[in-house]
Amino acid sequence: MRAPAPAYASNDGVIDSARAALGGMLLDAVDHVGEVALHVRREDLYGAMIALRDTPGLAYQQLMEIAGVDYPDRAERFEVVYCMLSLTRNHRLRVHVATDEEKPVPSVTDIWPVAGWLEREVYDMYGVLFSGNPDLRRILTDYGFRGHPQRKDFPLTGYVELRYSEESKRVVYEPVQLAQDFRTFDFMSPWEGANYVLPGDEKGALPQAKGAQTPLSADTIVKANAAQSPTQAPTEPKSTGSTAQTGAGKPESDATPKPANPDVVPTKGGGQNQ
């Protein structure tokens, strides 16, 4: 018999159990879109993680991920988010901690050794410091990299670029030099309706060819075709025209003197020699 898929545990009673286990360490608990988020004091993070792991009814044994979020408008602009998994209960929750550029977050490498690499990623991308991490070095950017790429105030081009120098026979770092200035963007979506017409959009007023797909209605196409091809005055068929209009049927008279040919020399007998 095929085993049924494991059922995910519901969120019923999770927040109450967390409040009882964490007490004053818990700042806020939110159940939104089927996910539980616990906001914990930064200085109490280590004790809160021990309580979430060892308390019966919670038992979040595994740390799955550590992520960083940047909110520049906040006094403590960074949030460190810990994604937790209970293997015995098959349930997940998130733990949020707020900090800034200077205040370090307690490391949880003593609880989960995998946090060493995850904390290094958050430090590298956002510049968040972790006190107690035995090897807090960059892990994704290059040696000597300046700045933190995931900060919203970090320039998209970076500060330095590297290339191989034939003169020095090694890789050298130089300040970024842009070949051309960046274009200014107004962040207006042409699909949602912009205040201008992009080059080439004027071709969309008519179908590309007969039978081509077009969002226009049949009446609009007829009006557009009429506006594109102006009406011309009808021409009379040649069969109904008179000889004065067409010149047909009027013989040429031989009595009409011919123009003299300069290449023909007249003779004495009245003839012409060529």
Side-chain angles (χ1 to χ4, degrees), residues 53-99:
R53 185 193 65 178
D54 298 340
T55 300
L58 295 175
Y60 292 95
Q61 303 97 342
Q62 191 164 351
L63 173 65
M64 302 300 298
E65 182 60 86
I66 301 178
V69 188
D70 185 10
Y71 300 96
D73 297 333
R74 297 183 181 180
E76 293 184 332
R77 59 182 292 184
F78 299 114
E79 265 194 8
V80 183
V81 183
Y82 299 81
C83 301
M84 312 296 297
L85 171 64
S86 174
L87 299 175
T88 55
R89 299 175 51 248
N90 198 15
H91 190 267
R92 298 175 184 266
L93 62 72
R94 301 192 313 270
V95 178
H96 295 245
V97 175
T99 187

Side-chain angles (χ1 to χ4, degrees), residues 150-207:
Q150 290 297 330
R151 288 191 180 184
K152 292 185 173 64
D153 53 3
F154 186 82
L156 297 179
T157 58
Y159 296 104
V160 295
E161 58 185 358
L162 59 91
R163 66 176 179 87
Y164 181 79
S165 174
E166 288 291 345
E167 295 80 7
S168 304
K169 300 300 180 182
R170 64 182 180 87
V171 175
V172 297
Y173 290 84
E174 297 175 341
V176 172
Q177 296 180 358
L178 301 180
Q180 61 182 2
D181 294 337
F182 276 121
R183 294 175 294 172
T184 56
F185 296 92
D186 52 15
F187 301 101
M188 300 180 65
S189 173
W191 293 274
E192 297 177 357
N195 297 331
Y196 53 84
V197 178
L198 295 175
D201 284 357
E202 65 277 0
K203 301 177 183 179
L206 291 174

Side-chain angles (χ1 to χ4, degrees), residues 96-112:
H96 295 245
V97 175
T99 187
D100 56 15
E101 297 93 335
E102 299 177 355
K103 299 173 184 176
V105 177
S107 176
V108 293
T109 52
D110 292 342
I111 309 174
W112 297 286

